[in-house]
Amino acid sequence: KMYSLVTTAPLLLVYASTLCCGFTHYSLPMSCRREVPITIKHAIYQSIQSQEIEDPHIRLEVSSCFGVDNNELTLLLEAMSGVCDEYGVQFDHTFTSDICSSSQPSTSVPGALGRVVIVDVHGAADMNVEESDFITELKVGMSQQFDDYLYSGQLSQPVLLAFQCATAKSATFDSIIEKEVLDYGLRDGIGREATTANYDDASFIPSRHIKLDGAMIETIESPGQLHFDTSSVVVFDNILDESLRKRLLNVVKGYPEDAVADMFWDDTRDGPNPDRWVRGGLMDIVDSKSKEEEDGPCWGLTDDAIIDICFHDHPAINEFEAKLGQLFSDCIVTTLPEAVLGDCVSPITANAPIYGDTFDYHIDADPMQVPPSPWADVFGRYPNRSKSKPRFVSALLYLNDEWNAEEWGAPTKFLDPPTQESYEVFPQPGRCVIMDQDISHTVVAPKKEAGKRPRYSMVWKLILHAKKVGQDMTDLSCGRGKSWPKPELLGSAVRQE
């Protein structure tokens, strides 16, 4: 959280519980996160070497901009002119104040930041501007300069850069944002979106609702004003029926969904199956491990297993995602797009802590601290739960066939940083925990009495998108609030009372 978390020196930021595609998992201290120039945007753009591109004879000119003041535009024009000089492209860096318009909400993409610069490409009659490698190269170079200004504090928020053929003039404010959202899958809904919510379904009534980490934060729609904000942990004990829980556990273990028992491995005796799990696949703190220590600290899925659960078709996963769509029926529910944090962070993961593992507090993600990316260009950086803005939440499922919480322990512990008070949620077969991703939390390893028995769980990194401009994103009940239990207020959240 903008005010409470960044002042907690020991707290470490983690953007995923496990990473796929062979990347090493890491986290960064909260105090330095904004200073690290992560260029995810440019990896996603996949720019090609400039010497391989034939230099066309074109001239560039900024024709309009939104949400950028004259001082910022002067800075951006300087950056764009410098990139054009490197490529030998003529750039008209003059402008008049009438090309600047104030930021405006997108009518088709609620929560969009609305900072857009449109560049006209002259002399491009025979060029497909949208598919030109040369234009892509220019865009990457200019975006890199914009990001440098952002890190240095010369820009307050990211800027979305768009190019259009000067003779066509086809780009509009909304169409530019819509194209970026479509190109990078920023609002691609998961599973089957529920057309009607079943408000009488008891499975969508939580057993507990905890609020914590209270702080005064900026109200983005009213600059200069503050409001009191809290994060939420919501516990559901009836969302998963026994059949779906067993099928999801089989998916995690790599078995057919209809398997009735462990087929090849006794994990209660031998721990996680090394064909599916790997030591070091789950790390939640920064550590400078030697080569000999790289096999720790916790069991996480192998790269192949991560790819399997994220990108292969599993009816059990589809069924649970359909339930998520109905649970959050007022929103468009997506998993974490690659364009937020890069392809090294998987949208779905699983873990299997055992006795002896060690963990520390971390957060999953925070929209206030996303690195430069297509996501940041569209939605900007903002406090989680802001009006109309996409809300970052995680869904945690406990999947063991049985779990004796009193004897084996292994709760998930949630921290209220301002007061250092904590709240524990213990595993229970089929239990689902919905939590804001900017909550400080940690896995607690099973007790010695659990032996080598893993505590299995799956995690979905979700983003809830508003369906309409001005939508309140603080309410997770989606109209069921009267049936929900009264929130338990922890630590700094008591102020809300």
Side-chain angles (χ1 to χ4, degrees), residues 183-205:
D183 286 349
Y184 294 102
L186 304 186
R187 277 166 61 94
D188 290 351
I190 63 173
R192 185 178 70 251
E193 185 178 355
T195 54
T196 58
N198 185 354
Y199 293 108
D200 297 324
D201 191 340
S203 66
F204 294 148
I205 307 302

Side-chain angles (χ1 to χ4, degrees), residues 403-421:
W403 193 264
N404 186 329
E406 182 175 350
E407 182 177 350
W408 300 334
T412 301
K413 185 181 290 188
F414 300 92
L415 179 71
D416 181 70
T419 64
Q420 294 297 297
E421 294 183 40

Side-chain angles (χ1 to χ4, degrees), residues 300-317:
L301 289 172
T302 65
D303 290 349
D304 287 343
I306 286 286
I307 292 171
D308 173 45
I309 66 172
C310 289
F311 304 112
H312 295 168
D313 183 58
H314 294 285
I317 289 179

Side-chain angles (χ1 to χ4, degrees), residues 164-303:
Q164 67 175 354
C165 180
T167 57
K169 292 280 189 181
S170 58
T172 65
F173 174 80
D174 274 326
S175 70
I176 289 169
I177 294 175
E178 290 169 8
K179 183 178 186 304
E180 198 81 356
V181 167
L182 182 63
D183 286 349
Y184 294 102
L186 304 186
R187 277 166 61 94
D188 290 351
I190 63 173
R192 185 178 70 251
E193 185 178 355
T195 54
T196 58
N198 185 354
Y199 293 108
D200 297 324
D201 191 340
S203 66
F204 294 148
I205 307 302
S207 57
R208 277 178 281 169
H209 180 193
I210 305 95
K211 291 189 175 183
L212 66 164
D213 197 10
M216 296 299 297
I217 67 170
E218 183 179 2
T219 305
I220 60 172
E221 66 270 19
S222 301
Q225 295 187 18
L226 302 177
H227 68 276
F228 190 69
D229 172 74
T230 57
S231 304
S232 287
V233 176
V234 188
V235 181
F236 296 88
D237 287 326
N238 297 302
I239 281 185
L240 294 188
D241 59 32
E242 185 65 6
S243 171
L244 181 55
R245 181 201 62 78
K246 288 182 177 179
R247 289 159 54 210
L248 287 169
L249 179 61
N250 283 335
V251 169
V252 166
K253 291 183 176 182
Y255 299 157
E257 287 191 17
D258 58 357
V260 295
D262 282 307
M263 302 172 64
F264 311 109
W265 190 265
D266 184 354
D267 53 9
T268 62
R269 181 191 67 193
D270 300 320
N273 186 341
D275 290 339
R276 186 73 171 177
W277 303 84
V278 59
R279 271 289 187 184
L282 172 64
M283 293 184 284
D284 65 355
I285 59 173
V286 176
D287 200 353
S288 55
K289 290 182 172 58
S290 65
K291 183 64 178 176
E292 290 74 20
E293 296 174 300
E294 286 181 353
D295 288 339
C298 182
W299 291 97
L301 289 172
T302 65
D303 290 349

